[in-house]
Amino acid sequence: MATLTYDYADSMAVVGPLSSTVEPHGYDLCEKHAERLSAPQGWQVVRHVVLGNDF
């Protein structure tokens, strides 16, 4: 699962780990849709990933 947010001022869509808080402009996505997400022409998609711990 992932959360999608938009930054209209910077023409940016941000996909990151599932948010633990409710945001009015956040949209939860399943893995399939998070991976396939595209943005309008001229926009940038930023993907934040959580790296595993090697302890």
Side-chain angles (χ1 to χ4, degrees):
M1 297 282 293
T3 297
L4 165 67
T5 56
Y6 290 100
D7 182 342
Y8 289 97
D10 291 328
S11 301
M12 184 183 310
V14 181
V15 179
L18 188 62
S19 178
S20 60
T21 60
V22 177
E23 297 292 332
H25 299 290
Y27 304 92
D28 293 339
L29 303 173
C30 68
E31 284 185 47
K32 176 181 168 182
H33 286 101
E35 291 172 3
R36 295 181 179 187
L37 179 88
S38 62
Q41 186 173 359
W43 280 53
Q44 178 182 9
V45 176
V46 176
R47 298 178 190 278
H48 293 277
V49 295
V50 176
L51 302 176
N53 291 331
D54 294 331
F55 294 104

